Amino acid sequence: MPEGDTPMRGAAAPTSPGAWDARSEALLGTPALTPLTTETLDSHPPEDPPPSGIAPPPTPTPDPVAPPAPAPAPRARRGNADPVKVLMHRHRELCAWAVDPLEIAAGLEAQGFTDRTAARFRHRDVFSLAEELYARVPRGGEPAPPPAPVAPPTDAWVLAALTPGAAAALTGIGLAVTHGPVRLAVGATGALLLAGALLFAVRRGPLRAPDGTAVPAARLWTLWLLAYAVCGDGLLTQVLSGGPDGPWDLAPGPLLGLALAVAPAAWCAQLFANGARRRIADSRGLADFAAGARPLLLGTVTLQLLALTVLLGLTGFSSGALALGALLLFARLLTVHGFPETATAALAAAGAAEALALASVLAARVPVPGFDALAAPVRAVVDAWGPGAVPTLVCGAAALGLLAHASGALVRASAHPTP
């Protein structure tokens, strides 16, 4: 081995004690034993050329490096990548003017959204969907909402709620101290005064319906029901006995109790509205709000019926007046909270049933075969429970129907918008 060369090691090194041959010299250039890299070529001097007569070893050529394959393009997703964004633009005005997420949830609920609908937007319920809408809608560039109208002082609606009772009390006193034509004039004047006081009371405070939601027919049916409470039983008694023959008996006592009950009704309506708004602030979802609002509604109704029972006991108790008071309370609550059509339908049904009771008895007098059977249902009810059973059954059934409807409608957050 020439002097100064590094001895070869490994499996390819010659093992015989003799001199290296050409094969051994050729193996020195094999890439498997001496990998050719840039550092190797730069750090070591070039090898001595092989002896004459021996072909130089072939220079290995590195395999061409294939260019990296381009990354596959992402597959386009079908549908909207952000379904909440579509909903946000659709209800942008509602979200921009809302003062809290529950107001948005109430608006969505009023448009028919349920927890099942919210699941299509990747949310567990309507309230969590409303929270995301409330958080994502920008408010920095939105115009400030107009200031809320200043509520009238509490004393104003309290005085308005007391006017029907005062008008009825003055009319009752006038009827008690007068006779003949003067008494008739006092009664007519008192009726007009009471009607005006009722309209004044329901346009103030917690009994006031939102603008544009009152149904004019509801006022007419309410006046009819109140008039029947005063003179309906006496008129029905005379009609069943072949009359009417002259003036019939009036019952102003129940009407006085109903008029005095307007004040506690307004207080109970205010109690229910304030309690519902507190529940809105404390609730974490629509179901949570409904669970707390339903006992509040039933408690408010119970308080008002107890107050009405006490007042009717002082002025002249009547089961028909109690049922009528419950009907008017439920109808007013539904009207105040955005369901005037349902309230008007119940009032119309009760009023029409009372009118039908009188008309069926009168129609039975027509000398046509079979018409006498028209008065049989009313006559059977009056014979069994008295003439007061007709308004009791009619108004009681309508009140129960409204209570069932109110138990579902008034416990929704959409029924209690922020004033």
Side-chain angles (χ1 to χ4, degrees):
M1 180 171 55
E3 186 178 357
D5 289 349
T6 304
M8 184 177 181
R9 301 183 184 274
T15 56
S16 61
W20 286 12
D21 54 5
R23 180 174 174 273
S24 299
E25 293 289 344
L27 287 176
L28 289 174
T30 305
L33 297 178
T34 309
L36 295 176
T37 62
T38 306
E39 297 178 357
T40 306
L41 295 175
D42 294 341
S43 57
H44 296 282
E47 298 272 345
D48 295 335
S52 58
I54 298 179
T59 304
T61 58
D63 296 334
V65 179
R75 181 177 298 178
R77 298 176 63 181
R78 294 184 177 182
N80 294 319
D82 188 1
V84 180
K85 188 174 182 180
V86 178
L87 190 65
M88 181 176 64
H89 285 287
R90 187 180 305 168
H91 303 281
R92 187 176 186 84
E93 184 176 355
L94 170 65
C95 301
W97 290 90
V99 297
D100 53 27
L102 195 56
E103 186 173 344
I104 299 178
L108 295 177
E109 184 189 44
Q111 299 182 23
F113 272 71
T114 62
D115 291 344
R116 181 175 298 180
T117 310
R120 299 206 304 262
F121 295 91
R122 305 171 188 171
H123 283 272
R124 67 182 184 279
D125 53 31
V126 179
F127 185 74
S128 62
L129 175 61
E131 283 184 324
E132 181 176 351
L133 290 173
Y134 183 78
R136 292 180 59 178
V137 172
R139 288 174 175 79
E142 296 290 338
V150 179
T154 304
D155 296 341
W157 70 259
V158 169
L159 293 176
L162 291 173
T163 53
L170 292 176
T171 303
I173 294 174
L175 293 175
V177 299
T178 56
H179 302 280
V182 177
R183 189 171 189 265
L184 181 60
V186 169
T189 304
L192 294 177
L193 183 62
L194 179 59
L198 287 173
L199 290 177
F200 179 69
V202 299
R203 291 181 178 180
R204 301 290 187 279
L207 296 180
R208 181 179 181 272
D211 295 334
T213 59
V215 180
R219 302 170 186 171
L220 299 178
W221 286 116
T222 300
L223 293 177
W224 164 262
L225 292 171
L226 292 175
Y228 191 95
V230 175
C231 58
D233 292 348
L235 177 61
L236 181 61
T237 302
Q238 287 210 10
V239 169
L240 287 173
S241 61
D245 300 323
W248 55 88
D249 296 333
L250 303 180
L255 180 61
L256 176 59
L258 290 171
L260 292 173
V262 173
W267 179 78
C268 288
Q270 181 75 6
L271 178 66
F272 175 65
N274 292 341
R277 293 191 184 101
R278 284 194 299 269
R279 289 294 308 175
I280 287 179
D282 298 337
S283 299
R284 290 296 301 165
L286 299 177
D288 185 24
F289 172 77
R294 187 170 288 110
L296 178 63
L297 172 65
L298 297 179
T300 302
V301 169
T302 303
L303 284 177
Q304 171 60 14
L305 293 182
L306 288 176
L308 178 60
T309 303
V310 171
L311 292 173
L312 288 175
L314 296 175
T315 60
F317 183 81
S318 168
S319 59
L322 180 61
L324 175 58
L327 173 61
L328 294 177
L329 173 65
F330 299 147
R332 199 60 199 174
L333 285 177
L334 286 170
T335 301
V336 168
H337 292 282
F339 303 94
E341 294 82 6
T342 305
T344 304
L347 294 174
E354 291 179 347
L356 183 62
L358 292 171
S360 63
V361 177
L362 293 174
R365 301 178 182 179
V366 178
V368 176
F371 269 48
D372 55 345
L374 295 176
V378 177
R379 193 177 298 275
V381 170
V382 173
D383 292 342
W385 298 296
V390 173
T392 301
L393 294 176
V394 167
C395 296
L400 288 177
L402 284 187
L403 177 60
H405 181 74
S407 299
L410 298 186
V411 299
R412 300 169 59 182
S414 56
H416 306 276
T418 303

